Amino acid sequence: MVLAAVVTAVALSAFVDRAFSPALHLTEADWQVSERAGRVTPPATQDADALPQDWHPVTLPLALPVALLGQAEAAREGDAAVRTTWLRVRVPSVPGHARGLLAGQLGLYGARIKTDGTIAVYADGHLVHRAQEQGPLWNSTRTPLWVSLEPPEDGPPVREFLIRLEHTSRSQVAVSSLWLGPVDALRARYHLRAWLQLELPAILGAGFAAIGVFALFVWIRRPHETGYLLFFNLAATSYLRGLHFYVSLPIANDAFAWLTVNSLFWLVTVVHFFLRSLHGQPMRGMTRALVTVTVLVGIATLPLPGLLPNTPRVTPLLYLVVAGMGIVVGTAGARAAWKSSREGRLVAAGIGACVLLGMSDWALQNNVVSPEGWYLGAYANAVALTVFGLLMYRRYVQAIATVEDLNASLAERLAAREAELDESHRRLREIERRQAVSDERQRLMQDMHDGLGAALIGAIRSAERGALPERDVARVLQDCLDDLKLTIDSMEPVEADLLLLLATLRFRLEPRLEGSGVALRWDVREVPQLPWLEPSSALHIMRIVQESIANVLRHTRASEICLSTSTQDDGVCVEIVDNGQGFDVAATLARGGGRGLQNQQRRAAAIGARVDWQSGAQGTRFRLWLPLGSSTSSSPQIGHST
C-alpha cells in the first residue's frame, strides 16, 4: 500500500509537469566540453561569446554515455584531468498574449543535473546559482535544480542561460530539460519532486529503522527468536543504504561510498539468512558464497591506499554484482519456500521487487534512461515495510488465533473441572447431610433412651408394683412430656442466641408453673451470643435449667422463681433463685441421693460449663456459667456452698 501510494504520487507529479504548469519548457541547447588540469572556482560573470565557439546543438534532456569498464580503468589509473561541460540555453521569444509568463519574479526548474563537480548557472552572463562541495551529498542527483531569479529593473527579460558543469574525466553527466516561469507556478513542482526523492525516502528509512530498534529490544527479551535480530540487521543495513538522504552527516566521500555500497551486500546477505529461517533449509554452499563475496568486496573497497583508490567510480560495476546476488537469493529462496513457507515466498517476491527498483536506479545513474526519470530504489524501504508489515500482521493474527484457541481450550477444561468439582461438592454435601442426620438421629435416640425412656420404664415398673400413687404417676408422665418437648425444641435453630433458647424453655414450662401456683419472675438481659451453641449443647442447657426448675417444684415448696442472665468472668451466667426451703447441697451430693444434681454437673461438663448451688433457709440460688468461646468436654471443678 505504501509503495502504491508512492507510485501514484510520482505519476501525478509527472502528469502535472507536462499538463498544468504555466511555464516555458526549454528543450533546445548548445553543448561543448573543455579540459584543464584542475578545478577552478566559477567566476561571477561569464559571457557565452567569450567561450570557444565550438558549440554543438543538443536536445534536452542530455545524457552523455560513459563506458563502465573505461570508468573503472580510469579509477585505477587516477583522474587528474578535470572537464567542464557548458550548456547554452536560449529563451525563445513568446507571443504577446503569453509574455506574462516572463513577467515578475521567475524561477528556473530542472528535474536533475548530474555531475561530480561544481554546478554554476548564469543568467545573461551573471552567476545566479552555484552548488559546490559540502559533503557526500553536495551534488546529489536526487536534488532537483531550483534557481529563483530576481525580477529585472525596467530591463528586458532573461534571454539566455549558461550552465557550467565541472566533472572528472569519464564521469557520468546528465541534464534534464528545464522549465522557466513564475516562481509560484514552479516552486510546488520543485518541492514535490524534492519531497518524493529525498524527504519521503528519509521518512521511510527512519520508520524502518525505528521498527528495527523495536525488534532488537524484543530479541533482547526473547533471545531464542533470532528472527527479530535478523529484522534489526535488515533495518540497520537498509538505513545505511539510505545515507544518501541524510545530508548533514559529516562523512568523507570515499567512506560514504564504502558504507552505501557495502550496505547493499550486507542487506542481501541478511535477507538470505532471514529466508533460511523461514523455509528452514540450510543452503550452506550459497551461504558460504554470499558471506565470502560480501567480505571480499568490503575489504577491497576500504578507503585505504593500495586498494581501490576511488570507490565511488567503480560502484556501477559493484551494483551489477549485488543485483546478481539479489536475483540468486530471491530465486533460490522462492524455490526453497515454494511448498514449505508462504512467508518465505512473500519475502522472495519482495526481494524481486527491490532488485527491479534497484536496477531502474542503476539505469538512471548510468545514463541508460532519461535523467528526468525517478529514483525508485529509494522506495525499497516501502517494499520492505510492506512485506515485513504483512509478515508481522500475519504473525499477530496467528498469535491472536492461537491465544484464542488456547483460551477456549482452557475454558473447556476449566468448565469440565468445575463440573467435576461441583459434582464432588454435591456428593460431599450429600454425605455430610446424611452424616448430620445420622448423628442427630443417634443423639436423639441416645438422649431419649437415657432420659425419657429411663423415666417411662421406671414409672411403668412402679405402677405395675403399685408403689406409686396416681398423683406421682401423673407427675412422672408430665416430666416425660416436658422432656420430649425440650428434645423437639432443641432441634430448632437458635443461631447462637441464648435468650431465644431460654424464651423457648419459658414457653414450655410456664403453663406447668402456673398450674403449680408458682410465680415466674423473668429478669433476662441482653448477653453476648455463644458461637458454639448447637442443637446438642442447646439440649444440655435446656435440661440443666429444666432440672433446676423441676427440683424447685418438687422439693422446696417455693411460691416464686426468678430467672436472670448476666455476663461474668468471660462468660454468661444463668441464675435461678427461689424463696422455698433450702437443702444441704454437700450432704445431698455425698449420700448419692442427688441424682438430678449429678446429671446437671455431667451435662455442664459436657459443654465446658459450670454449675453451683447456694442454699439456705430463705431459698436456693442456682447458677449456670457458660463460656463465650467454644465449648469443651472438660470443665473446671464444679463448686458448691451452703
Side-chain angles (χ1 to χ4, degrees), residues 12 37 101 167 193 215 301 377 418 514 584:
L12 287 176
L101 293 177
H167 56 91
R193 179 173 280 266
T301 55
E418 288 179 348
E514 292 177 354
D584 189 345

Side-chain angles (χ1 to χ4, degrees), residues 400-593:
I400 291 179
T402 301
V403 171
E404 290 177 347
D405 292 342
L406 181 60
N407 289 340
S409 176
L410 290 176
E412 292 178 0
R413 293 170 58 186
L414 181 61
R417 186 59 179 166
E418 288 179 348
E420 293 177 1
L421 290 176
D422 289 341
E423 180 64 19
S424 177
H425 290 164
R426 188 190 65 79
R427 293 177 181 176
L428 288 176
R429 288 194 298 269
E430 182 65 20
I431 293 173
E432 291 175 355
R433 187 188 65 80
R434 293 180 180 179
Q435 184 66 36
V437 171
S438 176
D439 292 344
E440 187 67 13
R441 184 182 294 114
Q442 185 69 25
R443 181 186 69 81
L444 291 175
M445 291 175 62
Q446 183 68 34
D447 196 77
M448 293 176 68
H449 176 270
D450 295 341
L452 180 61
L456 288 175
I457 291 174
I460 291 172
R461 290 179 178 176
S462 298
E464 288 176 347
R465 293 194 304 267
L468 282 177
E470 292 182 359
R471 182 176 58 81
D472 291 337
V473 172
R475 180 181 59 79
V476 171
L477 293 177
Q478 185 63 43
D479 290 342
C480 291
L481 181 60
D482 290 340
D483 191 78
L484 179 60
K485 290 179 179 180
L486 291 179
T487 301
I488 296 173
D489 289 339
S490 69
M491 299 175 64
E492 295 293 332
V494 294
E495 299 178 353
D497 191 349
L498 178 64
L499 301 185
L500 178 60
L501 184 66
L502 295 177
T504 302
L505 182 63
R506 177 184 180 183
F507 173 75
R508 294 298 184 188
L509 296 180
E510 197 167 23
R512 185 176 178 184
L513 292 173
E514 292 177 354
S516 302
V518 177
L520 176 63
R521 187 158 58 89
W522 193 262
D523 190 17
V524 174
R525 299 180 181 180
E526 196 72 30
V527 294
Q529 291 188 339
L530 305 177
W532 51 269
L533 195 58
E534 58 182 7
S536 59
S537 56
L539 184 60
H540 282 303
I541 295 173
M542 294 174 73
R543 285 188 171 169
I544 290 172
V545 177
Q546 178 200 22
E547 182 68 24
S548 179
I549 294 176
N551 288 336
V552 172
L553 296 179
R554 293 181 192 136
H555 305 296
T556 64
R557 299 178 184 177
S559 61
E560 183 182 79
I561 297 175
C562 178
L563 191 149
S564 63
T565 58
S566 62
T567 303
Q568 298 179 9
D569 301 331
D570 295 330
V572 175
C573 284
V574 179
E575 290 187 345
I576 300 175
V577 180
D578 65 80
N579 61 355
Q581 63 185 22
F583 67 98
D584 189 345
V585 178
T588 302
L589 290 174
R591 67 172 179 265

Side-chain angles (χ1 to χ4, degrees), residues 89-410:
V89 182
R90 291 190 172 94
V91 179
S93 59
V94 296
H97 67 275
R99 289 179 182 176
L101 293 177
L102 302 181
Q105 187 175 10
L106 300 179
L108 180 66
Y109 162 75
R112 179 170 293 105
I113 293 184
K114 181 168 59 178
T115 183
D116 60 356
T118 303
I119 300 174
V121 179
Y122 296 88
D124 291 336
H126 298 281
L127 182 65
V128 293
H129 174 76
R130 181 175 63 183
Q132 59 186 6
E133 187 171 358
Q134 298 173 352
L137 301 182
W138 70 277
N139 188 26
S140 172
T141 57
R142 292 168 176 79
T143 303
L145 174 68
W146 174 250
V147 180
S148 180
L149 303 176
E150 294 297 329
E153 296 180 0
D154 299 329
V158 62
R159 300 186 303 271
E160 180 183 83
F161 291 100
L162 189 63
I163 301 176
R164 179 182 183 274
L165 307 178
E166 196 173 54
H167 56 91
T168 55
S169 171
R170 301 183 182 179
S171 67
Q172 296 152 336
V173 177
V175 180
S176 67
S177 60
L178 303 176
W179 295 82
L180 179 65
V183 169
D184 295 337
L186 294 177
R187 182 182 288 117
R189 184 189 310 181
Y190 162 75
H191 286 301
L192 178 59
R193 179 173 280 266
W195 186 79
L196 289 172
Q197 292 282 248
L198 290 172
E199 297 177 14
L200 180 58
I203 293 172
L204 293 174
F208 198 16
I211 298 174
V213 173
F214 173 77
L216 175 64
F217 283 104
V218 174
W219 174 77
I220 292 174
R221 294 296 301 271
R222 304 176 64 86
H224 61 282
E225 297 187 15
T226 57
Y228 290 104
L229 179 61
L230 291 174
F231 184 84
F232 166 73
N233 289 325
L234 189 69
T237 53
S238 178
Y239 182 84
L240 291 176
R241 172 58 190 149
L243 284 178
H244 307 80
F245 310 108
Y246 303 97
V247 180
S248 60
L249 292 178
I251 306 174
N253 195 44
D254 287 344
F256 174 80
W258 185 86
L259 279 175
T260 55
V261 170
N262 284 274
S263 62
L264 275 177
F265 288 87
W266 304 334
L267 186 63
V268 173
T269 304
V270 171
V271 170
H272 169 69
F273 280 103
F274 200 96
L275 274 172
R276 282 199 340 172
S277 69
L278 292 177
H279 58 62
Q281 298 187 22
M283 296 184 171
R284 294 184 179 87
M286 179 179 293
T287 302
R288 286 193 292 267
L290 289 174
V291 172
T292 301
V293 172
T294 301
V295 172
L296 290 178
V297 170
I299 295 174
T301 55
L302 281 171
L304 298 175
L307 298 175
L308 294 177
N310 192 353
T311 301
R313 300 291 300 277
V314 297
T315 51
L317 293 178
L318 296 178
Y319 285 159
L320 290 178
V321 175
V322 77
M325 287 176 56
I327 293 172
V328 171
V329 168
T331 303
R335 290 183 58 187
W338 190 256
K339 294 183 179 180
S340 60
S341 174
R342 184 176 180 181
E343 293 181 344
R345 296 196 299 270
L346 181 61
V347 173
I351 295 173
C354 291
V355 169
L356 292 177
L357 295 178
M359 292 302 295
S360 71
D361 280 10
W362 182 89
L364 182 59
Q365 184 69 26
N366 291 281
N367 292 347
V368 177
V369 297
S370 170
E372 294 188 348
W374 293 81
Y375 279 105
L376 299 179
Y379 304 115
N381 284 333
V383 176
L385 280 175
T386 302
V387 170
F388 289 98
L390 289 175
L391 291 184
M392 292 195 308
Y393 171 76
R394 282 172 52 83
R395 295 195 175 188
Y396 178 73
V397 172
Q398 290 174 358
I400 291 179
T402 301
V403 171
E404 290 177 347
D405 292 342
L406 181 60
N407 289 340
S409 176
L410 290 176

